Each structure stands twice: as structure tokens, then as C-alpha cells.
């Protein structure tokens, strides 16, 4: 059943969920937890994009795969990327497999990251180079970022880097941006120069279902248009931080607690 919440009640319901779930204690199991191990932003952004890019499939397998990659990178993923070549990556990950992702694909992805670091100094600098002051969202910068990573990888990175230009919701890349741009009890942040107001909700089928159930999404496909629709709806509630409620809302499905949102909204009637 589709539940339409009056606008004046939306923020109250969402803030209740935010206060309840947006806490460090609710993060596990989530690949975000790997980012807390790294104080250096240079390390954290590489950990973040690797963890987010592998964030598909069963959560236990995601955590296992990310942990394996980071273990082989050693204490500083940034230094590992700098000091090694594609051939080294391929040797390190020749036996790697995460669902549809092979060791060769992962190695190509790491080569792309290495190329970005060599050209721009960091992933952040590359991303900022595509962000214009007039952009209302990160979509143009994200499109340019994916294009640059693909060019540096010099191979087909569609598994790791779905193209925003082809309509993909780019859930994993938007998740990476949420982790790196926002800073609160859950998201560690670290990137400067990107306003949280420009972020796009990381939309997957689970978040799409919740958005539809709460009357926040009308579009039936879980694509970029639906992600922007949900983001715009959240902007009417919290203009400076439309992705603020993403983590709390995704906890609902994990903890089978969507009834809480409906009960809270009903208590205002």
C-alpha cells in the first residue's frame, strides 16, 4: 500500500528515524565500517571507492571480499596504488572473485584509480575538476569522473562504473560520495569542496521500494530519474542535506522495521 505523508509531517517522521538509527552502533554489517580504520583521506577515499564498488550481493560476501582486497593492499592503500603496476595488481588478485567481478576486472579498476592519482593527485581533485558552481547536483561531475576513470583504466569498467549518462542510478558511486562528503555519526567524510546539498540519494531496489511505500517516489524504475526524484523530495524537507536520511531508511529493511515509519507517520494524523 502506498503511504503519502503530508509534507509538514515528513521531516518529523524522518528525523525520528534519523535520531534512532543514524548511529555508529547500527553500521555493522556495512562496508562503510572499513573507512573508519583510516585517518588519512588519501587512504580513505581509495578504501571508500573499492568498498562501495564491491557493495553488491550478500552482505557477508561483500565484507569478506573488501577485507581480502584491503589486506592485500597493506596498511596504506594509497601507497599500494602508487607503488604498484597493473601487472602487480594482476598478480596480487589473480585468484580474486566477487560474484561477477574477477581479479582482472579489479586490477583494471585499480589501474584506473592509479591513473587518476597520477594525473590529479587524488580522487577528490579529479572529482572537483568536473564540478561547476552552477551544478545543482553532483550528476555532471559524477559523469565526468566515471569517464576519466574509464579512460585511465583503459578497459571496460561497466561493472564497477555504470554510466550516469546511460540512466543508471549509480547507487554504489553515490554511496561512495555520501561516505566521503557527509560527516556525522555515521558518515566519516573527508572531502572538502563538495556541498552535501548536491548529493544524490544512493538508490537501489530496496531504497526504491521504501521510497514508493512512503509516497516519495512515483517512478516505477529504480534508475537515475527515480534517484533524482527522491533527492528532490528530500530537498524540500532538508535542502542543505538531502541524503541525510539514507542510512536510517536503509536500516529499516535490514531490521524489518518499516512498520515504525508507518506507525510514526500515523501518530500525527
Amino acid at each position: 500500500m502506498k503511504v503519502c505523508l503530508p509534507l509538514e509531517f515528513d521531516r518529523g517522521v524522518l528525523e525520528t528515524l534519523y535520531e534512532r538509527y543514524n548511529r555508529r552502533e547500527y553500521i555493522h554489517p556495512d562496508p562503510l565500517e572499513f573507512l573508519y580504520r583510516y585517518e588519512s583521506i588519501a587512504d580513505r577515499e581509495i578504501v571508500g571507492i573499492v568498498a562501495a564498488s564491491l557493495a553488491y550481493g550478500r552482505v557477508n560476501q561483500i565484507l569478506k571480499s573488501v577485507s581480502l582486497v584491503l589486506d592485500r593492499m597493506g596498511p596504506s592503500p594509497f601507497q599500494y596504488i602508487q607503488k604498484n603496476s597493473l601487472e602487480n595488481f594482476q598478480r596480487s588478485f589473480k585468484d580474486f572473485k566477487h560474484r561477477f567481478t574477477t581479479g582482472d576486472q579489479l586490477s583494471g579498476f585499480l589501474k584506473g584509480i592509479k591513473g587518476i592519482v597520477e594525473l590529479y593527485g587524488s580522487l577528490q581533485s579529479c572529482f572537483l575538476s568536473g564540478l561547476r558552481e552552477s551544478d545543482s547536483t553532483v550528476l555532471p561531475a559524477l559523469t565526468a569522473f566515471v569517464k576519466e576513470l574509464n579512460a585511465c583504466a583503459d578497459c571496460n569498467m561497466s561493472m564497477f562504473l555504470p554510466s550516469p549518462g546511460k540512466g543508471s542510478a549509480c547507487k554504489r558511486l553515490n554511496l561512495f560520495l555520501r561516505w566521503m562528503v557527509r560527516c556525522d555519526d555515521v558518515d566519516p567524510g573527508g572531502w572538502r569542496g563538495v556541498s552535501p546539498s548536491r548529493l544524490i540519494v544512493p538508490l537501489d531496489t530496496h531504497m526504491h521500494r521504501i521510497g514508493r511505500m512512503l509516497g516519495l517516489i512515483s517512478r516505477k524504475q529504480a534508475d537515475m530519474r527515480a534517484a533524482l526524484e527522491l533527492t528532490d523530495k528530500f530537498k524540500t524537507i532538508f535542502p542543505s542535506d538531502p541524503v541525510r536520511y539514507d542510512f536510517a531508511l536503509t536500516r529499516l529493511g535490514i531490521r524489518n522495521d518499516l512498520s515504525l515509519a508507518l506507525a510514526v507517520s500515523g501518530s500525527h494524523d
Side-chain angles (χ1 to χ4, degrees):
M1 180 179 68
K2 184 176 178 180
V3 178
C4 296
L5 306 180
L7 182 58
E8 63 268 29
F9 295 151
D10 282 355
R11 182 161 179 170
V13 171
L14 293 169
E15 283 296 317
T16 296
L17 295 174
Y18 180 85
E19 293 298 325
R20 176 164 180 169
Y21 287 123
N22 205 80
R23 303 177 186 177
R24 186 74 66 93
E25 66 194 85
Y26 289 122
I27 289 171
H28 182 77
D30 191 303
L32 166 60
E33 62 194 69
F34 291 103
L35 277 69
Y36 296 128
R37 301 178 184 178
Y38 302 86
E39 290 294 328
S40 165
I41 304 305
D43 286 328
R44 191 186 300 165
E45 66 175 14
I46 291 174
V47 172
I49 198 166
V50 169
S53 296
L54 292 173
Y56 72 98
R58 296 178 64 87
V59 66
N60 289 340
Q61 184 58 51
I62 293 170
L63 298 181
K64 180 179 178 182
S65 294
V66 175
S67 182
L68 184 152
V69 173
L70 297 182
D71 286 346
R72 294 185 185 179
M73 282 185 165
S76 174
F78 180 75
Q79 290 184 14
Y80 174 83
I81 290 290
Q82 279 191 312
K83 294 178 179 179
N84 288 281
S85 64
L86 174 61
E87 290 73 22
N88 297 138
F89 299 150
Q90 289 172 330
R91 279 195 293 270
S92 294
F93 298 105
K94 62 183 179 180
D95 60 344
F96 178 82
K97 181 74 173 178
H98 175 75
R99 296 203 69 199
F100 312 118
T101 304
T102 65
D104 280 343
Q105 290 171 326
L106 175 63
S107 298
F109 183 56
L110 297 179
K111 177 189 175 186
I113 294 173
K114 179 180 176 67
I116 290 293
V117 170
E118 290 177 341
L119 285 172
Y120 294 90
S122 68
L123 299 181
Q124 178 184 9
S125 294
C126 177
F127 189 84
L128 288 174
S129 72
L131 187 65
R132 299 167 298 186
E133 188 174 346
S134 60
D135 293 335
S136 60
T137 73
V138 295
L139 183 57
L142 184 59
T143 302
F145 182 70
V146 169
K147 183 177 180 181
E148 194 71 24
L149 263 171
N150 271 309
C152 289
D154 194 28
C155 61
N156 183 5
M157 286 285 97
S158 59
M159 171 55 67
F160 275 106
L161 304 168
S163 173
K166 294 184 178 180
S168 170
C170 295
K171 180 255 184 176
R172 289 173 287 160
L173 286 169
N174 281 314
L175 188 63
F176 164 65
L177 292 177
R178 195 201 87 196
W179 294 345
M180 295 306 304
V181 172
R182 297 188 71 259
C183 185
D184 61 9
D185 290 341
V186 166
D187 294 321
W191 277 16
R192 300 289 183 266
V194 183
S195 171
S197 66
R198 297 183 178 189
L199 293 176
I200 298 170
V201 174
L203 186 76
D204 57 9
T205 54
H206 170 60
M207 187 65 167
H208 182 259
R209 179 180 64 85
I210 291 175
R212 295 262 303 162
M213 185 171 289
L214 295 178
L216 300 174
I217 299 176
S218 61
R219 187 166 174 78
K220 294 181 179 180
Q221 293 81 19
D223 55 13
M224 180 57 75
R225 287 175 61 185
L228 291 172
E229 180 185 4
L230 183 57
T231 301
D232 286 343
K233 191 65 66 71
F234 283 145
K235 279 186 176 180
T236 68
I237 301 166
F238 210 112
S240 65
D241 190 7
V243 183
R244 174 180 176 84
Y245 306 112
D246 179 61
F247 180 82
L249 283 171
T250 56
R251 298 311 95 177
L252 294 178
I254 292 173
R255 299 175 181 278
N256 297 317
D257 211 5
L258 185 55
S259 59
L260 172 65
L262 305 183
V264 170
S265 66
S267 69
H268 291 278
D269 294 340

